Amino acid sequence: MKRRNFIKAAGISGASLSLFPGTHNLNASTFRKLAKPTPICIATWNFHEASKTAGELLYKGASALDAAEQGVRVEEENLKNTTVGNGGAPDRDGNVTLDACIMSPSGDCGSVVYLKDIEHPVSVARKVMEKTPHVMLAGEGALQFAIQQGFQKKNLLTKESEENWKKWLEKKEYKPIINIENHDTIGMLCLDEKGDIAGACTTSGLAYKMNGRVGDSPIIGAGLYLDNEIGGAVATGMGEAIMKSVSSFLIVELMRQGKSPQEACEIAVQRIVKQNSNYKDFQVAFLALAKNGEIGSFCLHKGFTFVKYQDNQNTNTPSQSYL
């Protein structure tokens, strides 16, 4: 029997979960008192090269912020990944538009939306965080800022992505396919040797989306959120549903209230189910990391996996699911 069904059948409320062995009821002060774990990098999906890059940096003493940025950059330049960065699937007008955000242990954050012609939007987002009084820059303003910061313009529409887009134009049918990467992203959380946590999220968004569409990935609190006293969370899947629930913020706040990362991710999925009558038609997935190194992951449909790099081991783990 699935865990959620057992809880429902037994009449166990969320408030009483802490009474059972194996569950956790840790407040912020408890998290701070726990021994620091070895450095950890976790990321959505099986982006093992990204987690390896970030993880190796962490074990060389890099900060969580540097590791998260460099880790997701691996996928931004991966031409085989059609959901992130260079080679990403375009919108229905043929434009490759990128969204990304980054968040530091201090709580500072930066974001770019609808950015064209720049291969590494996550690095532009970091510049927004460090060089401007703003959190988010969009469109032409984001591109202008990127060029001012020394980024070079580049055509991101590869021949393969262009050919696939032209095939799509023949029918112009938009229908997200669950667990087929036409609407997924990479979200990453890193915990460094100092015990600090940082995160990044980057995507080219829904394949063949409407011109101008922005999803959850660059929205602080939706695609990514962290609190250096508690932990962090990242999201992937159907951004519209995730934005409606501000899911990453919700997960971290549930962890602050004493829920384990696993419990918090499960509650966030249940919230989306409650808010969306068509929840069977799309995928959402969440990944959370507590300051004590505990990990949680939960998704709507089966098929979501996450990677973890720790103690020089890179593993890919299937997530538990609601359905």
Side-chain angles (χ1 to χ4, degrees):
M1 178 181 290
K2 287 189 176 181
R3 180 178 178 275
R4 65 181 179 85
N5 293 332
F6 168 76
I7 291 171
K8 183 177 179 181
I12 303 169
S13 68
S16 64
L17 285 171
S18 60
L19 300 176
F20 287 78
T23 62
H24 304 266
N25 192 8
L26 303 175
N27 57 31
S29 61
T30 304
F31 274 124
R32 289 193 292 269
K33 291 177 182 177
L34 290 172
K36 289 189 296 186
T38 57
I40 303 172
C41 167
I42 58 173
T44 56
W45 303 103
N46 189 23
F47 295 127
H48 53 87
E49 290 299 322
S51 59
K52 179 182 178 182
T53 295
E56 289 179 346
L57 284 170
L58 290 172
Y59 278 84
K60 291 177 182 177
S63 70
L65 183 63
D66 287 342
E69 178 190 8
Q70 294 302 316
V72 300
R73 278 173 61 101
V74 170
E75 291 307 315
E76 288 181 335
E77 62 190 33
N78 179 7
L79 297 181
K80 294 182 180 180
N81 185 344
T82 60
T83 66
V84 178
N86 195 3
D91 63 23
R92 58 188 59 184
D93 294 334
N95 305 300
V96 178
T97 62
L98 307 180
D99 307 319
C101 70
I102 194 166
M103 197 166 185
S104 74
S106 68
D108 290 332
C109 47
S111 173
V112 291
V113 301
Y114 198 73
L115 177 64
K116 298 179 182 179
D117 301 326
I118 301 295
E119 186 174 40
H120 291 298
V122 71
S123 295
V124 182
R126 182 169 180 176
K127 291 293 185 181
V128 172
M129 176 179 72
E130 295 177 341
K131 302 294 185 180
T132 81
H134 308 306
V135 168
M136 181 180 291
L137 292 179
E140 289 299 319
L143 176 59
Q144 181 183 37
F145 172 75
I147 293 171
Q148 290 172 348
Q149 294 298 311
F151 292 86
Q152 300 295 314
K153 292 182 68 174
K154 186 174 186 177
N155 178 18
L156 305 180
L157 184 62
T158 62
K159 182 178 179 181
E160 182 179 0
S161 290
E162 184 176 15
E163 289 175 352
N164 290 334
W165 167 62
K166 288 179 178 178
K167 289 180 182 178
W168 178 84
L169 286 174
E170 295 174 3
K171 293 184 177 180
K172 295 185 178 180
E173 180 183 9
Y174 172 71
K175 184 178 180 181
I177 305 172
I178 294 169
N179 293 327
I180 300 298
E181 294 185 357
N182 69 334
H183 62 283
D184 294 313
T185 184
I186 178 170
M188 178 178 286
L189 296 166
C190 292
L191 185 68
D192 63 28
E193 62 183 10
K194 295 180 180 179
D196 289 328
I197 190 169
C201 191
T202 181
T203 187
S204 56
L206 287 163
Y208 321 129
K209 60 195 175 186
M210 291 179 65
N211 190 352
R213 182 264 185 187
V214 174
D216 69 294
S217 296
I219 309 299
I220 301 299
L224 165 70
Y225 190 74
L226 63 89
D227 184 314
N228 202 37
E229 290 187 342
I230 305 298
V234 289
T236 184
M238 184 55 68
E240 282 74 9
I242 294 166
M243 284 190 285
K244 285 166 62 177
S245 295
V246 200
S247 298
S248 291
F249 177 79
L250 171 64
I251 290 168
V252 174
E253 286 305 295
L254 287 167
M255 290 162 60
R256 185 193 306 279
Q257 295 168 19
K259 300 296 184 185
S260 71
Q262 183 63 35
E263 290 169 338
C265 288
E266 292 182 18
I267 292 171
V269 169
Q270 292 163 5
R271 182 75 58 88
I272 285 178
V273 169
K274 184 177 180 180
Q275 290 182 334
N276 298 271
S277 60
N278 65 331
Y279 67 89
K280 293 183 179 181
D281 297 333
F282 61 83
Q283 172 72 301
V284 294
F286 302 118
L287 186 59
L289 175 65
K291 285 279 285 186
N292 66 349
E294 186 178 2
I295 296 168
S297 174
F298 203 63
C299 56
L300 186 49
H301 294 268
K302 293 180 180 178
F304 172 66
T305 67
F306 67 91
V307 284
K308 179 183 77 169
Y309 188 99
Q310 187 177 29
D311 297 328
N312 297 313
Q313 293 186 340
N314 210 13
T315 58
N316 182 42
T317 304
S319 174
Q320 299 179 50
S321 65
Y322 181 85
L323 294 174

